[in-house]
Amino acid sequence: MATKTPLGTFGKGKRGISTAGWMIRGAAAGAAGTTALNAVTYLDMAVRGRGSSSTPEDTVEKLADKVHLPIPGDEETREHRKQGLGPLMGLVAGIGVGVLGGLARASGYRSTKPVGITLTTLVVLVSANGPMTVLGITDPRTWSATDWISDLVPHLAYGVVVKTTMDAFDRP
């Protein structure tokens, strides 16, 4: 039996989708959300004429240093590897958050639209910015309003797309 709360419904849904099935659906929703996040980010870069952030590459370098795993190659090759690994970390985070959403669905949780978007946006914000903050690459406490908007809007797009996609998978 399902229990309704202001945050959503708890209990088994009407569809007999396995945990693995929900994880796969969550991964697909996460990939769609990551595509939306990237599209909004690139649009912002094009409209404002701003360059890309170096924080993903800086995170790769700091993580490699922390685990004592050198990035192989000469200086140019190392830079290219960091430029590839940085966005891959973003994909892993985006798909991973989607998988978490799939696990929540498999457990029987169905959030309301505003709650689901908010929770998904917050989780992906922490997943993306948390490691960079812990590693000392960025400090959100020092960000300007423009910095916050530039970070929040793409992550909100992610939240909207993931929630909408997960809801579409849940329709009878």
Side-chain angles (χ1 to χ4, degrees), residues 16-103:
I17 300 171
S18 69
T19 299
W22 275 117
M23 290 174 69
I24 291 167
R25 286 165 175 79
T34 302
T35 300
L37 182 149
N38 288 337
V40 171
T41 299
Y42 297 143
L43 180 62
D44 175 50
M45 290 167 62
V47 168
R48 293 194 304 145
R50 70 171 180 86
S52 62
S53 172
S54 66
T55 56
E57 291 85 7
D58 296 343
T59 303
V60 167
E61 188 161 40
K62 273 258 177 121
L63 282 173
D65 288 344
K66 288 277 185 199
V67 299
H68 307 289
L69 184 65
I71 301 169
D74 60 28
E75 188 175 332
E76 183 179 1
T77 303
R78 284 177 36 80
E79 286 303 310
H80 292 164
R81 286 194 168 116
K82 289 189 300 184
Q83 289 170 355
L85 290 169
L88 277 174
M89 285 188 347
L91 286 169
V92 168
I95 292 169
V97 170
V99 169
L100 290 175
L103 287 170

Side-chain angles (χ1 to χ4, degrees), residues 37 59 63 89-90 92-94 96-97 100 117-135 138 140 143 148 151-152 154-156 158-159:
L37 182 149
T59 303
L63 282 173
M89 285 188 347
V92 168
V97 170
L100 290 175
I117 290 170
T118 301
L119 288 174
T120 304
T121 300
L122 289 173
V123 171
V124 79
L125 273 167
V126 170
S127 297
N129 294 321
M132 292 186 282
T133 302
V134 168
L135 291 169
T138 189
W143 293 358
W148 271 104
D151 196 59
L152 184 60
H155 288 94
L156 182 59
Y158 173 94

